[in-house]
């Protein structure tokens, strides 16, 4: 295995599937299946899921809710999504799945304690990391990199819906768009590519954390990446390369 411990970043939209809001049972089933494949291959798995399928930050502005309060609502949405994924994974036979949250909700989830989370991974448990950092004004991109570093993950797997990597331009609008096989952190930042928040990319760059951007709807993609296949786009140091 190229990677033995990974942090998977899922958008909230991954749980809603083709719907704009809420949950799509087939999408959740697919997520659970892909995670189980990866776990069965012997990879230690942590997951950070967004909350956009329940509450998007821009709704707060539309409704006159101040940013800090809207972000708190969004963090609770990530707890709900993590609990939904825990239920889906355990129903498929996952032996031990833990939800750990940066906001204390002790009746339904464990508090996030770094060394306890590391121990869970070492014991073969799947760990779902909810509520970001517990602070507003932070999207789930930054906490996904932060948690990957804290848990000593070897890579961040950034799952995308409807795209198989990072392109020079939108391939749906430009037939000449080219996909990067490898792109440097600095290129992502300098060209203001919207693959992740720049703060997250900077944190990954400064700590040399590789990021694989891939199409989650490609069957077995996460396992194949961990086994050494070069799917999607790898964000790392070095020169840019096209597929």
């Amino acid at each position: 295995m190229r990677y033995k411990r990974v942090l998977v970043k899922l958008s909230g939209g991954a749980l809603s599937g083709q719907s704009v809001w809420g949950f799509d049972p087939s999408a959740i089933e697919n997520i659970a299946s892909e995670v189980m494949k990866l776990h069965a291959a012997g990879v230690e798995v942590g997951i950070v899921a967004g909350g956009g399928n329940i509450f998007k930050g821009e709704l707060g502005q539309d409704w006159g809710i101040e940013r800090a309060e809207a972000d708190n609502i969004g963090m609770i949405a990530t707890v709900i999504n993590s609990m939904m994924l825990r239920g889906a994974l355990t129903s498929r036979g996952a032996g031990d799945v833990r939800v750990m949250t940066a906001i204390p909700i002790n009746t339904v989830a464990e508090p996030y304690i770094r060394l306890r989370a590391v121990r869970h991974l070492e014991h073969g448990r799947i760990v779902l990391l909810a509520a970001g950092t517990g602070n507003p004004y932070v999207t789930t991109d930054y906490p996904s990199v932060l948690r990957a570093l804290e848990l000593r993950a070897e890579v961040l797997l950034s799952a995308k819906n409807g795209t198989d990597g990072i392109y020079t331009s939108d391939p749906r609008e430009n037939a000449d768009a080219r996909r990067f096989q490898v792109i440097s952190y600095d290129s992502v930042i300098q060209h203001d590519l919207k693959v992740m928040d720049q703060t997250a990319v900077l944190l990954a760059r400064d700590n040399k954390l590789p990021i694989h951007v891939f199409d989650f709807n490609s069957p077995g993609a996460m396992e194949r990446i961990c086994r050494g296949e070069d799917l999607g786009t790898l964000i790392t140091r070095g020169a840019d390369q096209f597929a």
Side-chain angles (χ1 to χ4, degrees), residues 8 21 24 29 71 85 97 153 164 182 192 199 210 216 221 230 232 239:
V8 180
W21 303 101
D24 180 344
E29 178 73 12
D71 284 356
L85 289 175
V97 183
D164 60 350
V182 178
D192 194 23
T199 54
F216 191 79
D230 295 323

Side-chain angles (χ1 to χ4, degrees), residues 148-242:
L149 295 171
E150 289 181 325
L151 301 184
R152 308 172 196 145
E154 298 167 286
V155 66
L156 175 65
L157 301 180
S158 181
K160 299 296 181 182
N161 295 320
T163 182
D164 60 350
I166 302 173
Y167 285 77
T168 53
S169 59
D170 190 339
R172 294 169 296 186
E173 300 177 0
N174 180 8
D176 295 325
R178 301 177 67 190
R179 178 172 62 84
F180 290 97
Q181 182 170 336
V182 178
I183 188 171
S184 70
Y185 305 105
D186 289 335
S187 290
V188 173
I189 294 165
Q190 290 167 7
H191 297 294
D192 194 23
L193 301 178
K194 302 300 184 183
V195 61
M196 297 185 83
D197 286 350
Q198 288 205 353
T199 54
V201 178
L202 286 167
L203 183 63
R205 182 197 67 181
D206 293 347
N207 291 276
K208 302 178 182 178
L209 176 72
I211 302 171
H212 278 275
V213 180
F214 68 100
D215 182 2
F216 191 79
N217 294 317
S218 176
M222 294 192 295
E223 182 184 358
R224 291 160 62 194
I225 289 171
C226 288
R227 290 191 183 279
E229 289 190 44
D230 295 323
L231 303 179
T233 300
L234 174 63
I235 306 175
T236 187
R237 293 181 180 271
D240 297 347
Q241 302 175 31
F242 291 103

Side-chain angles (χ1 to χ4, degrees), residues 66-82:
E66 64 176 308
R67 171 68 185 275
E69 185 72 358
D71 284 356
N72 286 334
I73 298 169
M75 284 187 281
I76 297 301
T78 70
V79 177
I80 294 170
N81 282 342
S82 295

Side-chain angles (χ1 to χ4, degrees), residues 31-84:
I31 293 170
S33 175
E34 292 297 307
V35 171
M36 291 288 286
K37 286 178 189 176
L38 188 59
H39 188 252
V43 178
E44 297 173 1
V45 184
I47 302 172
V48 170
N53 59 312
I54 298 173
F55 186 85
K56 293 182 182 292
E58 56 264 29
L59 287 178
Q61 184 176 2
D62 293 342
W63 296 346
I65 301 173
E66 64 176 308
R67 171 68 185 275
E69 185 72 358
D71 284 356
N72 286 334
I73 298 169
M75 284 187 281
I76 297 301
T78 70
V79 177
I80 294 170
N81 282 342
S82 295
M83 293 175 64
M84 180 66 77

